[in-house]
């Protein structure tokens, strides 16, 4: 049986055969037999000794440099290796002084073979020390971690299904993890106190989480068996319910299939390398499968009449064209997003996008000015679009501080960003004496953006209501209309006095009708109050994240917002076509597509799950090289890296809210055009997001289910990465591909979970503000 050649030994051998230096971080032992040549044994031994000396010197240089920046190698073993290398090099120097050319005295031949053995011993000892330190795996803990993540995903799925069937039972089940988790942690702490043994904090937290989850599943299984025994006699008769459940499972198959393919392909290094192309493909496939499923279920066609039904003909519904336009826009966004890619070393033919470089790197002044104007116009267009959307739904009518900030603060933020881009993109050699002023401006403008965005977010948290209240009991118009005739004339008095009398009649009539049941208060923007708060928050976060990226990547953020907007409308249109009666439930395909879009724009904003692709310059936006702590630059770099995760996680509640915002169909609007404007306004006020207030328990349950579904999909992706890193821990590309992917996916999971909690908390804060607003309204 042929002997297996270690990959780590093949690298230095091939490097020396090609005449290039051995890779700096390689600790392999060169295969000296490849360098023996066709001469006698002595000359071959001399050549092998030279090769081993080069190899040992390279390994010693690496170990010395590595020990200066890391402390994971034991100092005693490093000292022992240094002594082995020094003695071998000293003997090698002495031997070379006694050798004349290629003639070796006979008495030195035994020393030649002994010295080769000493270099081999040093190289093998060095590799053993590094392997022991770097490749220390704990398979039992790995399996325990994977089991814990898998059980967490199962908990999220079971809890989301329990919330759909029984709200009270779900709440009681979720109380058990909150109780048993601290109990398990307290027991572990007591064991540590009484045994006086060291307790690993990470291991203790893992055991506490395991105890918490066991409490949930124990309670759920007991209640499940009890309910099954009580209703067991009725199960065979529930054929309709079984058929409905089977149909639901079939509908769940295609989005879960896409998720399964994504998670399963993470075990391939080729997929991880090419994920920037695979993620958009899976997202587009999911949307196309959704359209195909709507067609297969017959939701896109309407039977014409008995004759057409007999012949099997049917016509498509009018809404299909709107859906097809949305799908076309979505595919265009997916295609355009590929222009903002970053390259990996594993793809040599790849060329990074020109949009990743800042404007300061452009030498063509005309091109630089053109790109600058386009970027500023993009920011202005984003502000105009957000303000138009808020104005369309009546959320810009009041004079509250938040509304005033949206009106005037948003343009001011855009102005500060534009000034920062103008200063940062200018050539240093052309500024002359203004260099000091520019250095100050580079710091001041970003900090102004940070301050304005923080102010807007604080105003949003303090009073998120963007509702304008108008008391219709009193007319808000002027008492009289001005008379354009000659002042002081008799005609002027004849014009004014009847209007004053009419005004007095209207005022008296409104006072008499205060006790009637007619509506006397009009609220503008109440039907989109939840979505308006999320849109404002996402806009502010978008400004901050665009500031942390290079100027031309603002086009990628524009595509991100447009694609998210189109995805929300596709989700709403699909639900309207399917006639889904569960308004308080977000389907799985919407959640999975939302997360796939987050993964897609991780790559479309110039990032890759490798350390060389991190945008380190984001740590110094608004700061000179004078950070006192590592926390602030870590936050800035993390926000730059996981920008898409932040935006999509905070905007996740829009998947629940958007169908209510777009609830009024086009057919209803056409019918209402014939009616008066006041009746149209009344119908719009009765619909939209205020339907959530009619059943607050279902609203809370829907938010909980949405969050659990989002966490389930995030956890499934994380579980796939963890399992891939565990199973392929001995793979050649584990430190190059799988380990960085695992780290980035883990950090993305943490960032997405925190931002998801913040987005749901913002919706709950708006709900509390709406409840307070209604309470104050009743007191009037």
């Amino acid at each position: 049986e042929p002997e297996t050649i270690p990959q780590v030994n093949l690298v230095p051998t091939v490097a020396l055969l090609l005449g290039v230096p051995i890779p700096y971080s390689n600790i392999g032992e060169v295969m000296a037999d490849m360098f023996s040549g066709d001469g006698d044994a002595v000359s071959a031994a001399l050549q092998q000794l030279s090769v081993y000396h080069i190899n040992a010197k390279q390994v010693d240089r690496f170990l010395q440099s590595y020990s200066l920046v890391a402390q994971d190698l034991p100092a005693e073993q490093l000292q022992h290796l240094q002594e082995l290398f020094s003695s071998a090099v000293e003997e090698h120097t002495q031997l070379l002084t006694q050798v004349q050319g290629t003639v070796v005295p006979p008495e030195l031949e035994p020393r030649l073979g002994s010295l080769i053995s000493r270099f081999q011993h040093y190289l093998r000892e060095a590799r053993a020390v590094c392997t022991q330190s770097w490749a220390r795996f704990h398979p039992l803990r790995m399996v325990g971690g994977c089991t814990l993540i898998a059980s967490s995903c199962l908990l999220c799925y079971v809890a989301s299904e329990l919330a759909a069937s029984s709200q009270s039972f779900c709440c009681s089940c979720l109380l058990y993890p909150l109780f048993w988790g601290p109990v398990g942690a307290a027991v572990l702490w007591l064991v540590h106190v009484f045994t006086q043994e060291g307790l690993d904090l990470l291991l203790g937290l893992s055991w506490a989480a395991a105890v918490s989850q066991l409490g949930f599943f124990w309670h759920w299984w007991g209640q499940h068996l009890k309910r099954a025994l009580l209703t067991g006699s009725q199960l065979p008769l529930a054929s309709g319910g079984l058929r409905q459940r089977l149909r639901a499972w079939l509908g769940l198959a295609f989005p879960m299939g896409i998720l399964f393919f994504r998670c399963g392909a993470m075990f391939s290094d080729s997929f991880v390398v090419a994920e920037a192309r695979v993620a958009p493909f899976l997202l587009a496939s999911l949307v196309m499968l959704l359209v195909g499923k709507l067609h297969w279920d017959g939701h896109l066609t309407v039977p014409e009449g008995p004759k057409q039904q007999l012949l099997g003909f049917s016509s498509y519904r009018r809404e299909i064209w709107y859906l097809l336009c949305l799908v076309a826009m979505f595919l265009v966004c997916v295609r355009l997003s590929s222009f903002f890619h970053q390259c990996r070393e594993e793809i040599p033919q790849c060329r990074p996008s020109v949009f990743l470089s800042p404007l300061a790197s452009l030498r063509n002044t005309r091109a630089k000015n053109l790109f600058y104007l386009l970027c500023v116009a993009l920011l202005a267009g984003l502000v105009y679009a957000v303000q138009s959307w808020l104005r369309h739904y009546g959320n810009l009518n009041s004079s509250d501080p938040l509304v005033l900030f949206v009106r005037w603060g948003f343009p001011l933020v855009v102005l500060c960003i534009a000034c920062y881009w103008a200063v940062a993109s200018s050539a240093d050699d052309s500024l002359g004496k203004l260099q000091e002023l520019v250095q100050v401006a580079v710091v001041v403008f970003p900090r102004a953006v940070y301050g304005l965005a923080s102010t807007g977010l604080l105003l949003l948290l303090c009073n998120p209501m963007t509702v304008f209240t108008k008391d219709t009991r009193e007319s808000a118009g002027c008492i009289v209309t001005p008379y354009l005739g000659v002042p002081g004339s008799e005609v002027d008095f004849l014009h004014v006095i009847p209007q004053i009398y009419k005004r007095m009649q209207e005022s008296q009539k409104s006072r008499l009708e205060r006790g009637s049941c007619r509506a006397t208060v009009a609220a503008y923007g109440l039907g989109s109050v939840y979505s308006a708060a999320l849109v404002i928050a996402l806009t502010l976060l978008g400004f901050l994240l665009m500031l942390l990226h290079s100027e031309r990547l603002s086009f990628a953020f524009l595509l991100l917002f447009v694609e998210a907007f189109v995805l929300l409308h596709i989700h709403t249109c699909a639900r309207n076509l399917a006639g889904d009666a569960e308004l308080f439930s977000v389907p799985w395909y919407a959640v999975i597509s939302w997360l796939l879009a987050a993964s897609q724009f991780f790559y479309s904003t110039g990032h890759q799950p490798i350390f060389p692709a991190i945008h380190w310059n984001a740590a110094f936006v608004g700061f000179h090289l004078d950070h006192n702590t590592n926390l602030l630059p870590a936050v800035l770099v993390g926000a730059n890296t996981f920008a898409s995760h932040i935006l999509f996680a905070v905007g996740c509640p829009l998947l629940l809210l958007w169908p209510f915002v777009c609830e009024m169909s086009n057919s209803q609007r056409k019918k209402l055009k014939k009616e008066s404007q006041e009746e149209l306004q009344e119908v719009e006020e009765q619909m939209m997001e205020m339907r959530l207030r009619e059943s607050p328990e279902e609203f809370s349950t829907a938010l909980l289910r949405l969050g659990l579904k989002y966490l389930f999909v995030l956890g499934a992706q994380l579980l796939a990465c963890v399992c891939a890193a565990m199973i392929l821990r001995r793979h050649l590309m584990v430190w190059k591909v799988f380990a960085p992917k695992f780290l980035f996916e883990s950090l993305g999971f943490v960032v997405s979970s925190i931002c998801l909690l913040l987005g749901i908390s913002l919706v709950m804060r708006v709900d509390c503000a709406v409840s307070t607003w209604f309470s104050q309204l009743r007191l009037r």
Side-chain angles (χ1 to χ4, degrees):
E1 184 177 355
E3 183 180 357
T4 303
I5 300 176
Q7 191 76 25
V8 71
N9 294 343
L10 188 61
V11 174
T13 306
V14 174
L16 291 178
L17 287 175
L18 295 177
V20 297
I22 300 175
Y24 172 70
S25 59
N26 186 269
I27 55 173
E29 176 188 346
V30 68
M31 293 179 288
D33 295 339
M34 307 288 292
F35 302 89
S36 53
D38 298 330
D40 56 357
V42 176
S43 58
L46 280 174
Q47 191 170 2
Q48 291 180 7
L49 179 61
S50 175
V51 171
Y52 274 116
H53 177 259
I54 295 173
N55 193 185
K57 190 174 181 180
Q58 170 261 329
V59 172
D60 177 73
R61 183 170 61 91
F62 167 71
L63 291 179
Q64 289 183 4
S65 302
Y66 182 81
S67 61
L68 295 177
V69 297
Q71 305 297 328
D72 52 349
L73 296 178
E76 299 82 5
Q77 296 181 359
L78 282 175
Q79 182 66 26
H80 175 65
L81 291 175
Q82 183 63 35
E83 292 176 356
L84 290 178
F85 176 75
S86 300
S87 61
V89 169
E90 183 178 357
E91 185 176 354
H92 177 262
T93 304
Q94 295 176 0
L95 184 63
L96 290 182
T97 56
Q98 300 177 17
V99 174
Q100 299 177 357
T102 59
V103 179
V104 180
E107 64 273 8
L108 297 181
E109 291 184 10
R111 291 180 58 188
L112 190 63
S114 175
L115 184 56
I116 292 176
S117 299
R118 293 181 64 178
F119 276 123
Q120 290 177 339
H121 177 66
Y122 166 76
L123 291 172
R124 291 167 186 172
E125 285 286 333
R127 188 173 63 183
V129 170
C130 294
T131 302
Q132 184 181 3
S133 177
W134 296 341
R136 289 179 296 178
F137 299 110
H138 300 277
L140 184 60
R141 291 194 177 188
M142 290 180 178
V143 173
C146 292
T147 305
L148 190 61
I149 297 175
S151 60
S152 301
C153 295
L154 181 61
L155 188 151
C156 291
Y157 181 80
V158 171
S160 65
E161 294 299 321
L162 286 177
S165 58
S166 176
Q167 301 173 6
S168 59
F169 177 58
C170 176
C171 294
S172 64
C173 278
L174 291 177
L175 290 177
Y176 277 81
L178 297 177
F179 172 75
W180 286 110
V183 169
V187 170
L188 289 173
W189 180 77
L190 290 175
V191 171
H192 166 63
V193 170
F194 286 106
T195 58
Q196 298 296 328
E197 295 180 359
L199 180 63
D200 189 358
L201 179 61
L202 183 61
L203 185 61
L205 293 176
S206 301
W207 276 108
V211 171
S212 174
Q213 293 181 6
L214 284 175
F216 170 83
F217 287 115
W218 180 267
H219 179 68
W220 167 72
W221 184 251
Q223 295 292 332
H224 179 72
L225 284 179
K226 191 179 297 184
R227 294 172 65 187
L229 291 175
L230 292 176
T231 60
S233 59
Q234 301 176 3
L235 289 178
L237 300 177
S239 59
L242 181 61
R243 188 181 301 109
Q244 185 178 4
R245 181 171 296 182
L246 181 61
R247 186 174 181 180
W249 276 101
L250 291 176
L252 189 63
F254 78 93
M256 287 299 178
I258 294 292
L259 179 62
F260 175 78
F261 282 126
R262 170 169 170 75
C263 294
M266 289 186 182
F267 291 83
S268 170
D269 57 340
S270 300
F271 167 80
V272 178
V273 170
E275 191 180 9
R277 297 182 180 180
V278 177
F281 171 76
L282 292 177
L283 177 59
S285 301
L286 181 58
V287 173
M288 297 305 295
L289 282 174
L290 171 63
V291 178
K293 184 178 181 299
L294 290 174
H295 180 70
W296 296 331
D297 293 340
H299 297 308
L300 301 183
T301 58
V302 178
E304 291 292 340
K307 184 177 180 180
Q308 286 79 2
Q309 290 181 1
L310 182 63
L311 296 176
F313 293 137
S314 59
S315 62
Y316 286 97
R317 300 172 63 175
R318 295 181 179 178
E319 292 84 355
I320 180 100
W321 304 112
Y322 177 64
L323 178 62
L324 291 179
C325 290
L326 290 175
V327 172
M329 290 178 59
F330 168 78
L331 294 178
V332 169
C333 291
V334 170
R335 180 58 181 168
L336 291 177
S337 65
S338 62
F339 290 103
F340 305 93
H341 64 279
Q342 179 65 275
C343 292
R344 296 180 62 116
E345 297 176 352
E346 296 83 359
I347 309 177
Q349 68 274 14
C350 177
R351 294 292 179 270
S353 174
V354 296
F355 294 96
L356 301 180
S357 58
L359 289 179
S361 62
L362 293 179
R363 300 304 178 193
N364 191 338
T365 306
R366 181 175 299 178
K368 182 188 296 186
N369 295 334
L370 177 61
F371 275 114
Y372 173 76
L373 292 177
L374 289 177
C375 293
V376 174
L378 185 149
L379 292 177
L382 179 61
V383 172
Y384 176 77
V386 171
Q387 290 184 348
S388 299
W389 187 88
L390 294 172
R391 188 178 297 108
H392 172 73
Y393 287 104
N395 296 107
L396 278 185
N397 294 323
S398 68
S399 58
D400 292 337
L402 178 60
V403 176
L404 294 178
F405 181 84
V406 173
R407 290 179 180 174
W408 306 108
F410 279 12
L412 188 58
V413 171
V414 171
L415 179 61
C416 292
I417 296 177
C419 293
Y420 169 70
W421 285 350
V423 174
S425 61
S426 59
D428 295 336
D429 53 356
S430 62
L431 296 175
K433 298 181 180 180
L434 298 178
Q435 185 65 32
E436 296 181 358
L437 183 61
V438 168
Q439 294 296 329
V440 175
V442 169
V443 174
V444 169
F445 286 120
R447 293 189 180 184
V449 176
Y450 296 152
L452 289 171
S454 302
T455 303
L457 292 175
L458 287 176
L459 291 175
L460 185 62
L461 292 176
C462 293
N463 185 17
M465 292 286 293
T466 54
V467 177
F468 174 65
T469 305
K470 179 181 178 182
D471 193 347
T472 58
R473 294 171 298 189
E474 301 285 345
S475 177
C478 300
I479 297 179
V480 296
T481 57
Y483 177 69
L484 301 178
V486 181
S489 62
E490 184 179 356
V491 182
D492 191 1
F493 288 103
L494 294 177
H495 175 75
V496 172
I497 293 176
Q499 293 190 56
I500 296 177
Y501 178 72
K502 184 178 180 181
R503 173 67 176 175
M504 293 173 61
Q505 283 184 329
E506 292 177 354
S507 178
Q508 186 67 23
K509 183 178 179 181
S510 64
R511 292 176 182 176
L512 292 176
E513 291 178 349
R514 284 185 182 181
S516 63
C517 60
R518 291 181 56 188
T520 57
V521 175
Y524 298 91
L526 194 60
S528 58
V529 63
Y530 298 100
S531 300
L534 282 173
V535 169
I536 294 172
L538 290 173
T539 306
L540 290 173
L541 290 175
F543 286 145
L544 286 175
L545 296 173
M546 280 189 279
L547 180 68
L548 297 177
H549 288 76
S550 61
E551 299 88 349
R552 287 182 289 181
L553 279 179
S554 55
F555 296 105
F557 281 92
L558 174 64
L559 288 175
L560 185 150
F561 285 115
V562 172
E563 184 172 319
F565 180 79
V566 173
L567 271 178
L568 290 172
H569 277 278
I570 290 176
H571 161 53
T572 303
C573 187
R575 295 191 65 173
N576 293 336
L577 289 172
D580 194 353
E582 296 184 4
L583 296 177
F584 291 88
S585 176
V586 179
W588 282 100
Y589 71 83
V591 179
I592 295 175
S593 62
W594 198 253
L595 268 166
L596 285 175
S599 300
Q600 169 203 351
F601 278 99
F602 170 78
Y603 297 98
S604 297
T605 49
H607 298 98
Q608 285 283 348
I610 51 176
F611 296 107
I614 297 177
H615 301 175
W616 299 108
N617 55 341
F620 308 106
V621 176
F623 300 91
H624 286 300
L625 307 179
D626 56 353
H627 286 292
N628 297 324
T629 62
N630 294 328
L631 179 61
L632 183 59
V635 171
L636 294 176
V637 174
N640 174 281
T641 304
F642 300 104
S644 62
H645 296 74
I646 294 172
L647 292 174
F648 279 96
V650 173
C652 179
L654 289 175
L655 293 173
L656 173 64
L657 302 173
W658 206 260
F660 291 94
V661 177
C662 307
E663 192 173 17
M664 183 174 292
S665 62
N666 293 329
S667 59
Q668 290 174 328
R669 292 182 183 274
K670 290 180 180 179
K671 292 180 181 178
L672 291 172
K673 282 182 180 179
K674 300 179 182 179
E675 302 176 3
S676 62
Q677 188 68 22
E678 295 180 358
E679 293 178 353
L680 175 61
Q681 182 178 348
E682 283 187 9
V683 175
E684 289 184 348
E685 290 173 356
Q686 292 174 2
M687 303 177 71
M688 301 171 68
E689 292 177 351
M690 281 301 100
R691 294 189 62 180
L692 299 169
R693 297 288 308 172
E694 298 176 359
S695 51
E697 292 185 358
E698 292 187 10
F699 181 30
S700 303
T701 304
L703 280 176
L704 175 63
R705 292 189 64 196
L706 177 59
L708 291 173
K709 288 182 178 181
Y710 201 87
L711 288 176
F712 171 79
V713 181
L714 280 174
Q717 296 179 161
L718 178 62
L719 178 62
C721 284
V722 172
C723 291
M726 179 189 70
I727 297 173
L728 303 173
R729 62 184 180 273
R730 301 293 182 183
H731 195 277
L732 174 64
M733 304 297 290
V734 63
W735 303 115
K736 185 70 174 179
V737 176
F738 295 107
K741 176 62 177 175
F742 162 65
L743 292 176
F744 276 84
E745 196 70 32
S746 302
L747 292 175
F749 175 83
V750 173
V751 171
S752 298
S753 302
I754 295 174
C755 293
L756 173 66
L757 180 61
L758 293 177
I760 294 178
S761 300
L762 178 59
V763 175
M764 296 173 65
R765 174 69 185 92
V766 177
D767 189 63
C768 293
V770 172
S771 300
T772 305
W773 183 82
F774 275 116
S775 300
Q776 294 176 354
L777 193 63
R778 294 191 189 99
L779 298 177
R780 292 187 180 181

